[in-house]
């Protein structure tokens, strides 16, 4: 449920931000009009930079989006003749002399839907061939769809006037539902970028967005580039399993710490035994649970996954006395939580196979953490404070676990 809410939040923030940017650009036209010719060159630069940057960080879907918009820009800017070959209801764009066919509109809709369904793959791999093939399938599918709708309209338009909405409106509705579902299912920047793009593409088709084509494409490419940069940052500084900042992010925080701070090292008790008993999948769930509880830390604490089953909490400008109660509350909250697992202990392969059915036994377990805390003393480095908190953690383990020691 939390992941779904995060997905909705990410998508809404992306859509609102992009729409606000386009609104401001529309209102401030006097500032960018003198640079309109330069914006055409900017499109090429942004397309190449976005393509290469996304490819470097294995975000191939953003690369494919950049290529698509560059091809679309070239097609509309230079009026390629193939655009008019599926002239099943033309719509005039804002500058009057560029015309966009329903076929081209539908290619964009279907391509956005297809990108929502595929996974990120390396561009220099066999998957690139399937992506190219998929694009041509999308082009053919758009043409066949409009051809079929045109035949239906010729034969049944008199009886069923609503068939006119089958051409564009129905694909838009179905693609919007697909994109919304993907956005809600997982909070990722690509799904939100596709949702924003879909809205802008529809606004252009229905002539509700009054901007030159070069400006629109440049803004969308900037959006993709920024999304890749943010996504790459999270890849480097976020732990993928727990979604907490990683050890590398901790090292970045160290550079900004002052002279007074407290460091706590936390470790899941008997985690190796828990893994051996219930399996690594359940062990990962335990780490996620502990991380979700630690993420609620107060008193200005910053939580990081240090490695394995170890976590670190840094309290800038706080003493041990100011953080002790908060750490003890975290320890108690984790100890009190009852976790339901669906795979109880199984000693052999035959027993595990028997437990795969719907009637597999369920069991409730709980985990505890031990915490060691240390405050920076004069002339101490962060590594020394961290070592002191690690030694305090060892004392908490030796004292019986599920304790906070300094």
């Amino acid at each position: 449920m939390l992941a779904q809410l995060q997905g909705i939040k990410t998508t809404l923030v992306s859509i609102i931000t992009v729409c606000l940017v386009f609104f401001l650009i529309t209102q401030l036209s006097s500032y960018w009009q003198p640079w309109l010719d330069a914006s055409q060159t900017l499109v090429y630069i942004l397309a190449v930079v976005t393509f290469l940057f996304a490819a470097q960080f294995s975000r191939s879907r953003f690369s494919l989006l950049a290529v698509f918009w560059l091809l679309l820009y070239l097609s509309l800017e230079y009026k390629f003749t193939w655009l008019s070959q599926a002239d099943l209801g033309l719509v005039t764009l804002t500058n009057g002399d560029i015309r966009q066919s329903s076929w081209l509109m539908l290619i964009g809709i279907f391509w956005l839907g297809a990108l929502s369904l595929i996974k990120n793959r390396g561009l220099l791999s066999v998957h690139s061939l399937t992506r190219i093939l998929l694009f041509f399938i999308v082009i053919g599918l758009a043409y066949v769809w409009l051809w079929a709708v045109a035949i239906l309209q010729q034969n049944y338009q008199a009886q069923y006037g609503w068939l006119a909405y089958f051409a564009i409106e129905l694909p838009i509705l179905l693609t919007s539902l697909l994109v919304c579902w993907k956005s809600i299912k997982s909070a990722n920047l690509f799904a939100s970028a596709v949702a924003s793009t879909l809205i802008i593409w529809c606004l252009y088709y229905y002539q509700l967005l009054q901007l030159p084509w070069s400006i629109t494409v440049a803004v969308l490419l900037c959006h993709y580039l920024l999304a890749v940069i943010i996504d790459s940052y999270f890849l480097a500084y976020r732990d993928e399993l727990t979604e907490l900042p990683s050890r590398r992010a901790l090292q970045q925080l160290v550079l900004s710490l002052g002279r007074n701070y407290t460091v706590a090292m936390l470790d899941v008790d008997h985690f190796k035994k828990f893994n051996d008993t219930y399996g690594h999948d359940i062990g990962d769930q335990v780490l996620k649970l502990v991380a979700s509880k630690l993420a609620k830390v107060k008193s200005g604490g910053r939580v990081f996954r240090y490695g394995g089953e170890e976590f670190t909490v840094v309290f800038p400008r706080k003493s041990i006395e100011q953080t002790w109660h908060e750490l003890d509350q975290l320890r108690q909250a984790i100890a009190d939580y009852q976790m339901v697992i669906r795979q109880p202990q199984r000693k052999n392969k035959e027993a595990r196979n028997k437990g795969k059915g719907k009637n597999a036994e369920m069991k409730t377990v709980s985990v505890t953490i031990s915490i060691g805390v240390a405050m920076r003393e004069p002339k101490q480095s962060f590594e020394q404070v961290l070592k002191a908190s690690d030694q305090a953690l060892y004392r908490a383990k030796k004292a019986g676990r599920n304790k906070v020691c300094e």
Side-chain angles (χ1 to χ4, degrees), residues 116-148:
S116 299
L117 294 175
I118 65 176
K119 296 181 180 179
N120 274 317
R121 302 292 187 184
L123 284 177
L124 300 178
S125 67
V126 68
H127 298 287
S128 297
L129 298 177
T130 61
R131 300 296 190 265
I132 295 174
L133 178 61
L134 178 62
F135 183 67
F136 284 105
I137 291 175
V138 164
I139 293 175
L141 181 61
Y143 190 90
V144 171
W145 177 269
L146 290 175
W147 173 78

Side-chain angles (χ1 to χ4, degrees), residues 173-207:
L173 175 62
L174 295 178
T175 303
S176 300
L177 292 175
L178 172 63
V179 171
C180 288
W181 174 68
K182 296 295 291 186
S183 301
I184 293 173
K185 185 179 178 181
S186 59
N188 66 78
L189 294 176
F190 180 79
S192 59
V194 170
S196 304
T197 303
L198 180 62
I199 291 176
I200 298 303
W201 189 223
C202 291
L203 290 177
Y204 241 102
Y205 181 76
Y206 292 107
Q207 304 182 62

Side-chain angles (χ1 to χ4, degrees), residues 9-24 196 200 219 223 226:
K9 178 182 176 182
T10 302
T11 303
L12 287 177
V13 169
S14 175
I15 292 174
I16 293 173
T17 302
V18 171
C19 291
L20 181 61
V21 169
F22 275 104
F23 174 77
L24 291 176
S196 304
I200 298 303
V219 172
H223 177 42
L226 181 60

Side-chain angles (χ1 to χ4, degrees), residues 20-245:
L20 181 61
V21 169
F22 275 104
F23 174 77
L24 291 176
I25 292 176
T26 302
Q27 298 300 312
L28 302 174
S29 60
S30 59
Y31 291 93
W32 52 260
Q33 283 287 354
W35 305 93
L36 189 56
D37 293 338
S39 67
Q40 299 176 359
T41 305
L42 183 62
V43 168
Y44 301 122
I45 296 175
L46 286 173
V48 172
V49 171
T50 302
F51 176 84
L52 295 177
F53 200 80
Q56 175 66 28
F57 288 95
S58 299
R59 297 297 182 264
S60 60
R61 293 183 296 179
F62 278 110
S63 296
L64 295 174
L65 265 180
V67 171
F68 173 75
W69 281 105
L70 179 60
L71 292 175
L72 191 64
Y73 173 74
L74 291 172
S75 300
L76 294 176
E77 187 68 19
Y78 296 101
K79 310 172 192 175
F80 289 175
T81 57
W82 61 272
L83 289 178
S84 61
Q85 295 177 7
D87 190 8
L88 303 176
L90 292 174
V91 175
T92 304
L93 290 182
T94 54
N95 55 1
D97 59 352
I98 298 177
R99 297 173 71 80
Q100 169 185 322
S101 70
S102 299
W103 184 36
L104 186 60
M105 172 62 181
L106 211 54
I107 290 174
I109 294 296
F110 285 166
W111 185 236
L112 290 175
L115 290 179
S116 299
L117 294 175
I118 65 176
K119 296 181 180 179
N120 274 317
R121 302 292 187 184
L123 284 177
L124 300 178
S125 67
V126 68
H127 298 287
S128 297
L129 298 177
T130 61
R131 300 296 190 265
I132 295 174
L133 178 61
L134 178 62
F135 183 67
F136 284 105
I137 291 175
V138 164
I139 293 175
L141 181 61
Y143 190 90
V144 171
W145 177 269
L146 290 175
W147 173 78
V149 171
I151 291 179
L152 288 174
Q153 286 181 306
Q154 289 175 4
N155 296 327
Y156 302 103
Q157 183 68 32
Q159 296 94 333
Y160 307 104
W162 44 265
L163 284 175
Y165 296 104
F166 267 46
I168 298 297
E169 282 71 16
L170 181 60
I172 288 177
L173 175 62
L174 295 178
T175 303
S176 300
L177 292 175
L178 172 63
V179 171
C180 288
W181 174 68
K182 296 295 291 186
S183 301
I184 293 173
K185 185 179 178 181
S186 59
N188 66 78
L189 294 176
F190 180 79
S192 59
V194 170
S196 304
T197 303
L198 180 62
I199 291 176
I200 298 303
W201 189 223
C202 291
L203 290 177
Y204 241 102
Y205 181 76
Y206 292 107
Q207 304 182 62
L208 298 176
L209 186 61
Q210 303 295 320
L211 281 177
W213 190 236
S214 59
I215 296 295
T216 302
V217 176
V219 172
L220 286 174
L221 289 172
C222 285
H223 177 42
Y224 303 152
L225 181 59
L226 181 60
V228 173
I229 293 173
I230 295 174
D231 206 26
S232 303
Y233 171 83
F234 281 113
L235 179 67
Y237 291 95
R238 286 273 173 178
D239 176 63
E240 185 176 1
L241 177 65
T242 63
E243 297 185 356
L244 289 177

